[in-house]
Amino acid sequence: MSFLRHRDRGRVQRGADRLTPVPSDQVSGVMSLCALEPVSAVGLVQQMQRWSRWGRGDVVALGGLAHPIAAAWAVGSLMPFGLAGRSEHGLRAADSGEIWALAEHARPRLSRRGSVSGPAQDVAAVWGALSEQGQRSRHERWRQPVLTAPHMGGGLVSAYLGRRSSQAWVVQAVRPARPDEEELVLPASVDMFVGELGYDPTADGLGYRRHVSWLIEQGRSYIVLDDGAGHPIRPGSPREVAFKADVGALWRSPSGGVAQLTGVWTRPDLRGRGVGAAALAGVVDAVYRDHVGADGVVSLYVNDYNAAALALYQSLGFRQVGLFATVLL
């Protein structure tokens, strides 16, 4: 069935009227909307907080600027939040005219290797309109469980080492990468990206390198270095990245700090040896300590077909709190 039936097409203009560009100095309405579900909305908030200014239409609100029902980042990629409605918060779903207007606004702004990503129900709400307007996907990932790390009084590391004390050197080696280690971190980040998205991000220019550099400068790229063979570094030994994970999104929401881990990667020769689990336990504890506080939330999302990653997260006590989707363009 056509996304927008003939009798609905008269609603498009009214939908467009309610598609409001959000100036960078008038974000309070969108931020209040995102605060209703901070774990689900942290990616959108991260985009808004990273830039002090943006172009007209880069961020848009549906339903008005002061009290929007939904919002989206629309530069290169589309990151919607709220389109499907949140009845538990008294928010209606966007109507077909509003969704059509958002798709029409966003489609010319999408890059060749962009994406549509966010809460699965919101991505599904807009993808039909984008498809009908001619947008094609490279790959669609409709089930990406959103997981949150456990709060443990003694820390996740203590609980993990109680079962795997042989990995103590790994958790002791977890730390933020230093700026002078960018050349070590970049190849690991690229390998993670290629494995996840299927192409080398450095082939498109310096943008990805700048992103890696920014994460390191912000103290948000955590690493474990080893001697290249799965052992601690000793004087004179080589140094390689054994594990890395980034705090890809971060927000001090009204209800507490929220961090979303991205780029979780274990060097292929070390997979299945407990290094990834030990290192991730150390990263979670470090992110609570360094970024979100004891009352915060550390989250991540994972493809449902990645059985190894899901098993790792479950072994550490992560629990599912939502569902994301990503459509790769």
Side-chain angles (χ1 to χ4, degrees):
M1 179 182 291
S2 170
F3 167 79
L4 198 63
R5 296 187 298 271
H6 178 74
R7 67 174 179 269
D8 290 329
R9 293 191 183 269
R11 304 168 67 183
V12 171
Q13 185 56 49
R14 285 186 291 147
D17 289 343
R18 296 197 296 272
L19 193 66
T20 307
V22 180
S24 55
D25 60 349
Q26 298 182 46
V27 300
S28 60
V30 172
M31 297 296 275
S32 294
L33 171 70
C34 292
L36 298 174
E37 293 181 5
V39 172
S40 296
V42 66
L44 172 58
V45 172
Q46 170 66 54
Q47 290 297 92
M48 294 168 56
Q49 290 189 331
R50 183 168 178 179
W51 313 108
S52 59
R53 300 179 66 182
W54 53 72
R56 179 177 173 83
D58 292 356
V59 182
V60 292
L62 282 71
L65 192 59
H67 303 288
I69 61 161
W73 175 269
V75 186
S77 293
L78 179 63
M79 300 175 66
F81 177 76
L83 297 178
R86 301 294 192 271
S87 58
E88 65 272 29
H89 301 301
L91 296 177
R92 66 173 178 83
D95 65 37
S96 57
E98 291 167 320
I99 291 174
W100 186 268
L102 175 60
E104 203 166 44
H105 172 78
R107 185 167 174 258
R109 294 167 159 267
L110 298 174
S111 65
R112 180 171 61 93
R113 286 177 169 165
S115 63
V116 183
S117 63
Q121 69 268 36
D122 299 325
V123 173
V126 72
W127 181 245
L130 283 166
S131 297
E132 189 163 328
Q133 292 177 20
Q135 184 64 56
R136 296 294 175 258
S137 65
R138 179 165 56 90
H139 193 247
E140 300 178 15
R141 301 171 178 179
W142 288 105
R143 296 195 61 82
Q144 297 178 306
V146 179
L147 311 175
T148 57
H151 285 273
M152 308 188 76
L156 200 54
V157 164
S158 296
Y160 180 79
L161 290 182
R163 308 192 307 268
R164 295 288 297 270
S165 60
S166 62
Q167 298 298 334
W169 76 268
V170 176
V171 297
Q172 291 166 3
V174 171
R175 61 173 174 80
R178 300 190 304 263
D180 65 345
E181 294 171 324
E182 182 178 324
E183 295 306 316
L184 279 174
V185 176
L186 182 62
S189 298
V190 170
D191 189 68
M192 176 280 304
F193 193 102
V194 172
E196 179 67 16
L197 298 178
Y199 67 93
D200 183 344
T202 62
D204 292 334
L206 297 176
Y208 187 73
R209 175 183 282 271
R210 285 195 291 264
H211 176 66
V212 171
S213 179
W214 180 80
L215 287 169
I216 293 173
E217 289 170 359
Q218 297 295 311
R220 289 167 51 170
S221 186
Y222 288 84
I223 60 172
V224 171
L225 298 182
D226 75 343
D227 65 353
H231 307 296
I233 294 173
R234 293 180 173 83
S237 71
R239 296 193 311 155
E240 290 189 26
V241 176
F243 174 92
K244 66 165 288 292
D246 305 317
V247 182
L250 183 64
W251 180 28
R252 282 283 181 180
S253 81
S255 58
V258 181
Q260 184 184 85
L261 300 183
T262 58
V264 178
W265 177 88
T266 304
R267 202 172 65 232
D269 62 291
L270 299 178
R271 292 171 190 170
R273 295 169 53 177
V275 171
L280 185 60
V283 168
V284 169
D285 282 0
V287 172
Y288 276 123
R289 180 192 69 227
D290 299 342
H291 295 290
V292 300
D295 62 343
V297 178
V298 178
S299 71
L300 53 78
Y301 62 98
V302 59
N303 295 313
D304 68 338
Y305 54 79
N306 192 341
L310 280 168
L312 184 156
Y313 301 141
Q314 290 167 358
S315 74
L316 292 175
F318 281 72
R319 66 183 184 89
Q320 184 172 350
V321 297
L323 191 68
F324 274 8
T326 300
V327 177
L328 302 175
L329 308 178

